[in-house]
């Protein structure tokens, strides 16, 4: 779609595009009437400037599905606005070529969403993420930021190396970023505070933007994949305070080891 073009859709159906889609300073309206439309993309999506949105006044949505069989790239340097849904439905995975802001909904239906260093996923103030937290293969490999949390609960479906390792934060306030690292927590710091015997040599989560906010954290684990969880009663959440790892407690555990 060339610069200056305004392309609008108004039908309740799915268009499948087998090649790449390129938008250059163009406007793509995915729902301009009383119907919700869907673009099923089997190739890459390149958006340079411009806007992808929907203008329906009847609570309709516009959906973009990354549904190819080969690995796909989504590189959006323009804007996504209004009720636009992005669906990841690709076993081979989807990579973001730039940091992307999502205004409404991200649906991790199938496959990994890869956001390399320097590019991350920004969920708007009213945006949500749909994901099956028991599906190990569907997750975001990279940093996820959720804007505008106000004493809210939010599950960050992060992971790496073929495994979902979600982190859920409860009662948290702020613009919060979470990323999962499949490496030793000793790379962050090696001083162990009172109440802890050792920390994970396998994995850790990095949380940014907390400030003085008080909240509860809920972490996933995968037994042997998490370094060998053998005793849930003595398992602890540990938090690094800049100098040492502190015992952040264990209010509740569930699952099997």
């Amino acid at each position: 779609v060339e610069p200056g073009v305004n392309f609008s859709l108004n039908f309740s159906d799915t268009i499948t595009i087998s090649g790449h889609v390129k938008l250059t300073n163009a406007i793509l309206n995915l729902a301009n009437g009383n119907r919700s439309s869907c673009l099923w993309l089997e190739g890459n999506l390149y958006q340079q400037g411009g806007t992808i949105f929907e203008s329906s006044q009847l609570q309709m949505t516009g959906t973009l599905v990354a549904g190819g069989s080969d690995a796909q790239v989504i590189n959006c340097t323009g804007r996504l606005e209004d009720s636009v849904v992005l669906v990841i439905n690709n076993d081979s995975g989807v990579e973001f070529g730039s940091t992307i802001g999502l205004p409404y909904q991200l649906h991790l239906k199938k496959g990994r969403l890869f956001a390399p260093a320097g590019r991350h996923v920004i969920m708007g103030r009213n945006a949500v993420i749909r994901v099956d937290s028991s599906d190990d293969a569907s997750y975001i490999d990279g940093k996820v930021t959720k804007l505008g949390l106000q004493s809210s609960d939010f599950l960050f479906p992060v992971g790496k190396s073929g495994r979902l390792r979600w982190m859920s934060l409860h009662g948290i306030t702020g613009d919060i970023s979470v990323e999962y690292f499949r490496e030793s927590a000793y790379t962050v710091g090696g001083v162990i505070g009172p109440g802890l015997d050792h920390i994970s040599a396998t994995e850790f989560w990095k949380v940014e933007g907390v400030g003085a906010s008080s909240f509860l954290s809920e972490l996933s684990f995968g037994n042997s994949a998490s370094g060998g969880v053998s005793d849930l009663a003595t398992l602890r959440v540990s938090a690094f305070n800049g100098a040492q790892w502190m015992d952040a407690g264990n209010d509740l555990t569930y699952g099997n080891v």
Side-chain angles (χ1 to χ4, degrees), residues 148-154 169-174 176 213-215:
L149 291 170
Q150 295 288 335
S151 298
S152 306
D153 300 341
F154 197 82
L169 302 178
H170 304 275
I172 195 165
T173 295
I176 308 299
S213 177
S214 176
F215 63 95

Side-chain angles (χ1 to χ4, degrees), residues 237-253:
V237 173
S238 57
F240 190 67
N241 66 2
Q244 64 179 354
W245 289 97
M246 304 295 292
D247 182 358
N250 178 352
D251 291 338
L252 177 68
T253 56

Side-chain angles (χ1 to χ4, degrees), residues 53-234:
F53 76 116
E54 59 79 22
S55 62
S56 172
Q57 302 299 312
L58 300 172
Q59 298 182 325
M60 299 294 110
T61 61
T63 300
L64 297 169
V65 180
S69 55
D70 298 325
Q72 292 175 269
V73 173
I74 295 177
N75 191 349
C76 293
T77 59
R79 298 184 304 276
L80 276 72
E81 299 179 350
D82 303 305
S83 299
V84 172
V85 179
L86 176 61
V87 180
I88 305 301
N89 188 25
N90 186 333
D91 282 326
S92 298
V94 177
E95 179 177 336
F96 278 169
S98 60
T99 292
I100 187 169
L102 299 174
Y104 181 66
Q105 184 183 120
L106 171 63
H107 183 187
L108 300 175
K109 186 174 183 179
K110 182 173 62 175
R112 180 189 69 165
L113 176 56
F114 182 48
R119 319 168 204 168
H120 67 285
V121 183
I122 302 176
M123 304 301 298
R125 294 179 179 275
N126 299 315
V128 298
I129 300 178
R130 288 181 58 194
V131 64
D132 179 353
S133 61
S134 66
D135 181 1
D136 235 9
S138 299
Y139 60 89
I140 300 171
D141 184 339
K143 181 191 290 188
V144 183
T145 299
K146 178 67 174 83
L147 303 179
L149 291 170
Q150 295 288 335
S151 298
S152 306
D153 300 341
F154 197 82
L155 187 144
F156 293 81
V158 290
K160 205 173 291 289
S161 302
R163 292 185 179 274
L164 170 67
R165 282 291 173 269
W166 56 261
M167 181 182 201
S168 186
L169 302 178
H170 304 275
I172 195 165
T173 295
D175 297 339
I176 308 299
S177 298
V178 171
E179 186 170 1
Y180 172 79
F181 292 87
R182 186 72 179 169
E183 57 189 74
S184 172
Y186 287 96
T187 61
V188 178
V191 180
I192 309 299
L196 297 175
D197 177 74
H198 63 280
I199 56 175
S200 175
T202 304
E203 60 187 355
F204 66 91
W205 292 259
K206 183 177 182 180
V207 182
E208 299 175 287
V210 173
S213 177
S214 176
F215 63 95
L216 295 176
S217 60
E218 183 180 358
L219 305 177
S220 57
F221 68 89
N223 199 5
S224 59
S226 294
V229 177
S230 57
D231 185 357
L232 292 179
T234 59

